[in-house]
Amino acid sequence: MLKKILITTITIVVLVLSLGAYAFYWLSSFMPKEHEVTALKASQPSALTYLQGSTSELRGKILAVVTSTNKMGQSNKKTGYELTELSRAYWVFTANGFKVDVASVKGGKAPVVIDADDMGEYDYAFLNDPKAQQKVTQTLFIDDVDPNDYAAVYFVGGKGAMFDFPNNPAIQKLVKNLHENNKIITAVCHGPAALVNVKLDNNDWLITNKDVSGFTNDEELFLIPDAQTIFPFLLQDKLSERGANFQLGETYLEKVVQDGQLITGQNPWSVWTLAEKTIEALGYDPIPREITAEENSIQLLTLYKQEGYKSARSFVNNNNLKYQQVLIVMHSIVAFMKMNLSEGLDLLLIANALR
């Protein structure tokens, strides 16, 4: 391992020194321009073609549940719900005829995590929509929620969910009620923490023998090396401990698993697919939606992981799609940090081919 780290470090240093200022200029060229960011931040729901095609039929209500926790345990690390995990599902649900209520463990204003690197037009449109913002600043108190009002529940991720979802009696009661009435239960990223302590009347865990996904150990520990001391448990470990059949996807790439009425997603890049699978599970065909540049990039990265560089380059050459180049570069950096030099270089070449 030490030899591998040394070789990788020397290689990166040599590359940077040999290319000098050009290397930094080249990498920074993948970042969105200031005027593009300004326009993105001004996104309005009324300007989004997808939302203009929303169905006028009111088909029911979906409850989105977010964390009320703003700090990770005894650490000083801030947390909350992930905005992108709520905003994208929110638009899919509403565009397809479902009213969305937002509840939290404590009710009222919920703490939010906004990662500028992941924000797109739908996310900023959510921030700029007064109705959506009222829902997250005045969330319903989970104890007051009537399960009979909803066709489905969606547990939004965010690391705070690891602290206040698992042992909350109201959440457990809600999930059990929906399960017993054959309604849809969905969760993404850290959201499945809501499911780990739900027991049925026969004393079995709800998720025993169920195919599920969620934020993986690898994803967690890469971002937070001391996660095992900060969190009450690692989500993948706990889901497996409860007897779930944990479905492991590629790190930081889309993975959505459906087992009957239960739909779970691995990470934030799984939200679009999970939300549309929720609509299908509710008995409707999702309205057409233009696939985002981020989704195209995730598809390209998945193809690279599964079939290698040549297939990924061929896909780029034969499909005139929009991509989020900076996402490819970020995965390249992750590969370098994991000492996977060949993958890091491959992804840089692919990102460069997209320019």
Side-chain angles (χ1 to χ4, degrees), residues 32-99:
K33 305 297 184 289
E34 185 176 349
H35 71 277
E36 294 173 334
V37 174
T38 300
L40 196 61
K41 288 182 176 181
S43 298
Q44 297 291 330
S46 59
L48 300 177
T49 303
Y50 171 60
L51 300 183
Q52 293 172 2
S54 298
T55 179
S56 58
E57 178 187 0
L58 181 59
R59 294 168 169 172
K61 295 168 65 177
I62 295 175
L63 180 70
V65 183
V66 299
T67 181
S68 293
T69 300
N70 62 6
K71 189 175 71 170
M72 298 184 207
Q74 300 304 310
S75 74
N76 291 318
K77 299 178 186 292
K78 292 183 179 181
T79 188
Y81 72 89
E82 292 283 344
L83 183 128
T84 60
E85 295 177 20
L86 176 59
S87 58
R88 298 170 188 188
Y90 176 86
W91 293 128
V92 171
F93 297 156
T94 55
N96 283 279
F98 289 87
K99 179 183 177 183

Side-chain angles (χ1 to χ4, degrees), residues 279-295:
I279 298 302
E280 291 173 351
L282 288 166
Y284 300 94
D285 293 326
I287 65 171
R289 177 179 61 83
E290 182 180 2
I291 302 303
T292 66
E294 179 186 81
E295 290 175 278

Side-chain angles (χ1 to χ4, degrees), residues 254-274:
E254 178 192 311
K255 179 70 175 180
V256 176
V257 176
Q258 181 168 1
D259 191 325
Q261 306 297 91
L262 178 63
I263 307 172
T264 49
Q266 180 169 311
N267 49 40
W269 298 278
S270 308
V271 173
W272 288 112
T273 297
L274 181 142

Side-chain angles (χ1 to χ4, degrees), residues 61-69 80-81 86 90 99-111 126 132-147 149-150 152-157 161 164-165 168 170-171 174 194:
K61 295 168 65 177
I62 295 175
L63 180 70
V65 183
V66 299
T67 181
S68 293
T69 300
Y81 72 89
L86 176 59
Y90 176 86
K99 179 183 177 183
V100 178
D101 287 340
V102 182
S104 67
V105 171
K106 294 182 179 179
K109 186 174 182 179
F126 185 86
Q133 287 307 295
Q134 183 180 27
K135 291 177 182 289
V136 294
T137 56
Q138 300 177 26
T139 66
L140 304 175
F141 179 34
I142 191 66
D143 291 55
D144 294 338
V145 167
D146 184 351
D149 291 342
Y150 301 97
V153 64
Y154 170 54
F155 291 102
V156 181
D164 62 1
F165 278 10
N168 184 274
I171 285 179
L174 170 69

